[in-house]
């Protein structure tokens, strides 16, 4: 019995020491994507942001220390049509001249069981900051960590699409934001 | 005299006039919406155009099936040979265009990355992948076929006018319900 306990303790110590030995930090920009989905006249549409930067550090064994910061270059948007790309950087939408970036800063990460987690944080778009929470999955594949998540925002909460565009029967209020981040593990210095 | 006219049956008439009405909606809408600046109205008009167009496609398929399973009333024996030939060619071309135009519109929409969701409810499959060049090509095809449609509908109506006011025969009445003609 005692020896069994010792094995359990030892192996869990090993596992946690292994886990804390890697921290997923370096975002692979060319493999990571931030995409979004919305409905326009009932038609599902997809778009993406070509340019964004992310600083994250994630160690599943030390969730309290997990951090993420993502900045999206709004002018890099691809809504799927050129006409719309020109439109959405304009004043009624993102007003990208005055607010070139959208930013997410995490305030906490909690485990939901298995490989599922939830990040909470502040999302700032067009000068407005609101709390959001984004469930995501994390998979470590050797030194590669894959983060996949999706959350929904309401565009009108951020005044995205003002004036005539505020009509949500044409462009739906709900915008699903999907992220797929590939991070490379860096050995922990400590 | 009137009762002796050999008319199309009710199904054929209903389909004919419904399709005519919808073409008179879809065509000007297509021309008009194209040059609108991007706005919710433009997005709505595009959707309405697509919904009407797909409705035309379904009705025309029904018409073609009707035409294959029914024999239309024979033309008056006095009809000149050239009129029989020209009218058959025109009608055949109209059927062809009314299938090809909505199909090209559907494919164009898919190629441009905008799925067609009929009346905002029924999603039609995207039969081609998103592809900018193909989208532009199909837009040109759609436009070109519409020029033909415009010309043929013009001919079609000109023929009706000729029969009605020059020949004073009862070709138009064949496509009109009994109560609507003298
Ligand atoms: C018999 C049915 C139809 C008729 C008579 C029709 C007619 C037209 C016409 C006249 C135009 C304007 C062309 C131009 O000015 O460039 C147009 C444009 C257009 N049509 Fe149709 N159409 C039909 C069906 C459809 C369908 C079924 C769809 C899609 C599902 C569709 C999608 C479009 C689109 C997207 C445009 C705009 C093209 C562009 O912006 O370049 N049409 N149509």
């Amino acid at each position: 019995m005692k020896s069994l306990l010792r094995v359990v303790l030892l192996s869990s110590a090993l596992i946690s020491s292994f886990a804390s030995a890697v921290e997923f930090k370096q975002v692979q920009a060319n493999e990571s994507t931030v995409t979004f989905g919305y409905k326009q006249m009932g038609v599902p549409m997809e778009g993406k942001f070509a340019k964004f930067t992310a600083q994250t550090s994630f160690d599943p064994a030390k969730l309290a220390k997990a951090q993420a910061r993502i900045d999206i270059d709004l002018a890099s948007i691809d809504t799927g049509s050129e006409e719309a790309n020109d439109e959405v950087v304009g004043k009624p939408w993102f007003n990208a001249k005055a607010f070139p970036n959208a930013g997410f800063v995490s305030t906490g990460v909690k485990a939901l069981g298995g490989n599922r987690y939830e990040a909470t944080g502040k999302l700032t778009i067009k000068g407005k900051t609101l709390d959001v929470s984004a469930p995501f999955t994390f998979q470590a594949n050797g030194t590669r960590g894959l983060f996949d998540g999706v959350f929904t925002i309401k565009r009108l909460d951020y005044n995205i699409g003002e004036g005539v565009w505020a009509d949500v029967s044409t462009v739906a209020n709900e915008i699903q934001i999907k992220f797929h981040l590939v991070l490379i593990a860096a050995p922990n210095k400590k | 005299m009137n009762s002796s006219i050999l008319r199309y049956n009710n199904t054929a008439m209903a389909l004919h006039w419904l399709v005519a009405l919808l073409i008179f909606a879809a065509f000007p809408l297509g021309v008009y919406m194209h040059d609108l600046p991007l706005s919710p109205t433009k997005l709505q008009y595009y959707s309405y155009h697509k919904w009407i167009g797909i409705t035309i496609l379904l009705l025309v398929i029904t018409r073609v099936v009707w035409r294959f399973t029914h024999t239309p009333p024979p033309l008056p024996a006095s009809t000149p040979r050239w009129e029989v030939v020209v009218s058959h060619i025109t009608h055949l071309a109209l059927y062809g265009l009314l299938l090809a135009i909505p199909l090209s519109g559907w494919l164009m929409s898919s190629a441009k990355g905008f799925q067609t969701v009929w009346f905002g409810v029924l999603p039609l499959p995207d039969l081609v992948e998103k592809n900018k060049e193909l989208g532009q090509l199909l837009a040109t095809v759609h436009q070109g076929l519409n020029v033909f449609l415009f010309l043929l509908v013009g001919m079609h109506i000109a023929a009706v006018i000729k029969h009605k006011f020059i020949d004073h025969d009862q070709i138009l009445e064949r496509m009109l319900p009994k109560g609507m003609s003298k």
Side-chain angles (χ1 to χ4, degrees):
Chain A
M1 183 66 204
K2 238 186 190 172
S3 63
L4 181 66
L5 192 69
R6 197 181 290 150
V7 171
V8 170
L9 277 178
L10 199 70
S11 56
S12 67
L14 263 176
I15 288 168
S16 71
S17 76
F18 169 75
S20 59
V22 287
E23 192 176 19
F24 293 89
K25 262 191 155 152
Q26 284 164 290
V27 177
Q28 299 304 104
N30 53 348
E31 292 177 77
S32 303
T33 55
V34 176
T35 56
F36 57 90
Y38 61 101
K39 282 203 166 180
Q40 178 175 295
M41 292 300 289
V43 179
M45 300 290 296
E46 278 196 17
K48 63 170 190 276
F49 291 100
K51 277 194 223 154
F52 59 92
T53 59
Q55 287 98 43
T56 48
S57 62
F58 183 82
D59 176 345
K62 292 185 194 159
L63 284 185
K65 281 191 159 179
Q67 273 181 344
R69 187 194 162 88
I70 300 174
D71 285 291
I72 293 170
D73 177 357
L74 293 174
S76 77
I77 194 169
D78 180 5
T79 59
S81 90
E82 269 161 40
E83 201 180 18
N85 292 352
D86 295 340
E87 172 71 25
V88 293
V89 292
K91 266 197 178 162
W93 292 92
F94 288 127
N95 195 3
K97 275 217 181 96
F99 305 100
N101 292 312
F104 172 78
V105 180
S106 69
T107 50
V109 174
K110 69 174 189 224
L112 298 179
N115 62 351
R116 292 169 52 245
Y117 299 86
E118 185 179 69
T120 47
K122 310 249 174 225
L123 180 64
T124 305
I125 309 174
K126 214 178 176 181
K128 242 184 133 173
T129 303
L130 296 171
D131 289 316
V132 293
S133 60
F136 66 91
T137 59
F138 167 73
Q139 265 177 311
N141 195 344
T143 55
R144 285 159 58 87
L146 306 180
F147 297 76
D148 278 285
V150 53
F151 63 102
T152 302
I153 64 163
K154 293 205 161 94
R155 63 180 179 90
L156 293 185
D157 290 349
Y158 297 90
N159 299 322
I160 303 168
E162 293 176 67
V164 288
W165 290 109
D167 167 24
V168 293
S169 68
T170 319
V171 178
N173 201 3
E174 289 76 20
I175 312 283
Q176 283 168 318
I177 301 179
K178 271 183 232 149
F179 53 92
H180 169 74
L181 301 178
V182 180
L183 276 77
I184 299 294
N188 243 352
K189 280 177 193 122
K190 275 180 211 168
Chain B
M1 164 81 198
N2 191 27
S3 54
S4 70
I5 298 171
L6 294 166
R7 291 187 155 79
Y8 282 89
N9 74 7
N10 289 339
T11 313
M13 280 188 207
L15 287 169
H16 174 271
W17 290 110
L18 200 52
V19 168
L21 191 77
L22 293 177
I23 292 172
F24 282 110
F27 192 99
L29 191 57
V31 174
Y32 175 69
M33 70 185 193
H34 183 68
D35 296 322
L36 287 177
L38 187 58
S39 65
T41 312
K42 179 171 189 167
L43 297 179
Q44 281 156 12
Y45 286 179
Y46 266 68
S47 290
Y48 301 157
H49 177 81
K50 290 161 70 165
W51 301 346
I52 299 171
I54 294 298
T55 310
I56 295 176
L57 177 63
L58 294 175
L59 291 172
V60 171
I61 290 172
T62 317
R63 286 188 71 175
V64 171
V65 171
W66 185 94
R67 186 63 183 72
F68 274 118
T69 52
H70 297 72
T71 312
L75 287 165
S78 57
T79 315
R81 177 88 196 133
W82 74 270
E83 279 191 10
V84 176
V85 172
V86 172
S87 73
H88 279 164
I89 293 174
T90 314
H91 296 164
L92 199 69
L94 280 169
Y95 280 123
L97 285 173
L98 289 177
L99 295 172
I101 289 172
L103 274 173
S104 64
W106 175 4
L107 294 177
M108 173 220 316
S109 295
S110 297
K112 289 193 170 192
F114 298 93
Q115 201 190 359
T116 302
V117 182
W118 197 39
F119 291 105
V121 181
L122 186 77
L124 306 189
D126 286 320
L127 299 179
V128 294
E129 300 255 298
K130 187 171 174 181
N131 175 331
K132 206 172 152 195
E133 285 75 39
L134 183 63
Q136 266 155 5
L137 177 71
L138 286 167
T140 311
V141 169
H142 194 66
Q143 195 174 0
L145 292 174
N146 269 296
V147 173
F148 274 112
L149 180 69
F150 187 84
L151 295 175
L152 281 179
V153 169
M155 242 177 95
H156 190 69
I157 294 171
V160 172
I161 292 172
K162 170 189 176 283
H163 283 289
K164 182 85 190 153
F165 298 104
I166 298 176
D167 298 344
H168 300 286
D169 61 19
Q170 288 183 300
I171 291 293
L172 172 61
E173 280 67 23
R174 287 155 56 86
M175 211 23 122
L176 289 178
K178 253 185 192 158
M180 273 178 72
S181 47
K182 300 171 261 152

